[in-house]
Amino acid sequence: MSLFHARRLATSMIALAAAGVISSTASALVFGGNFFVPGLNRIIATNVVQGMSSANLPALPVRVTLCSGVVEAPVFVVTGPTTATLAGSCYRMSITIASPDQTRLLITHTGAPGGIIRVELGGFAQKVVFDRRNPNPGTGLSGTGRDVAVLGGAGPWTVNARWTNPIQIGSLPARGDVFNKLTFDFNTCFVSNNSLYVEFDTDEVQ
């Protein structure tokens, strides 16, 4: 392993340890990548701007599909100017706005019965939207985007990031960088001792 990769791995492990999610079980998680799935555009009349406040997170729709097929809709609770958390039947999530183009999401399983197969963020008329790295420059005022990157976690599954419903401003064509919905799909159940720590870019519809 190169010195660069060793330092990067150490940094990820420190971040996860600080978040309390390092598990003694072996991690076999695989990130399958970022995927665009065609869907209806969300047409807005105003602008998209880079950066957002945690005050908008309680209005961000969250849908969590359990392995049983049950769908939950937990709500983020603001815990600070840049942070919010939520809790479901067998999981917790915390979100941190680290910078104007860095939002970090930590998903942990609580050990309660049940597992997760899908997490959906957005999809309705919320202010919070999601900005990919390319094309850059993309939608005006959206600034620099960021694809989903995995910072750490544990679990014997593959997780994909699925971007849907491009943002379109008025009659201008959608640029294909800002999306109304971001979904995390697991290929097998996210269960006890599992965690996922990811980073992406959130913007705001004005």
Side-chain angles (χ1 to χ4, degrees), residues 7-203:
R7 287 176 175 169
R8 186 172 182 180
L9 177 60
T11 300
S12 295
M13 296 293 282
I14 290 168
L16 283 169
V21 298
I22 290 293
S23 169
S24 60
T25 58
S27 171
L29 78 86
V30 174
F31 180 50
N34 292 273
F35 299 94
F36 164 64
V37 178
L40 294 176
N41 292 359
R42 177 185 171 188
I43 301 174
I44 63 173
T46 53
N47 294 318
V48 173
V49 295
Q50 188 172 44
M52 52 162 283
S53 164
S54 63
N56 292 317
L57 289 171
L60 173 65
V62 179
R63 286 169 52 90
V64 178
T65 302
L66 304 182
C67 297
S68 64
V70 171
V71 177
E72 298 182 348
V75 175
F76 276 112
V77 175
V78 174
T79 55
T82 60
T83 58
T85 63
L86 64 75
S89 60
C90 61
Y91 56 88
R92 296 183 186 278
M93 298 185 204
S94 63
I95 197 164
T96 301
I97 304 165
S99 76
D101 70 342
Q102 289 176 293
T103 297
R104 292 170 182 157
L105 175 68
L106 174 63
I107 307 171
T108 56
H109 196 282
T110 63
I116 299 170
I117 201 69
R118 176 175 296 137
V119 175
E120 300 169 81
L121 305 176
F124 292 91
Q126 78 281 347
K127 280 185 171 289
V128 179
V129 291
F130 308 95
D131 188 5
R132 293 200 64 177
R133 182 179 62 223
N134 289 316
N136 183 26
T139 302
L141 303 181
S142 68
T144 302
R146 185 180 294 268
D147 286 354
V148 170
V150 173
L151 302 180
W157 30 255
T158 297
V159 61
N160 295 328
R162 185 158 46 97
W163 305 71
T164 52
N165 305 115
I167 296 295
Q168 176 182 336
I169 300 177
S171 61
L172 298 174
R175 297 299 300 271
D177 62 324
V178 183
F179 294 84
N180 198 46
K181 186 175 182 180
L182 178 59
T183 301
F184 296 95
D185 289 308
F186 298 91
N187 73 330
T188 191
C189 287
F190 181 103
V191 293
S192 184
N193 293 318
N194 287 189
S195 62
L196 177 64
Y197 189 34
V198 294
E199 180 176 81
F200 45 90
D201 180 25
T202 50
D203 289 350

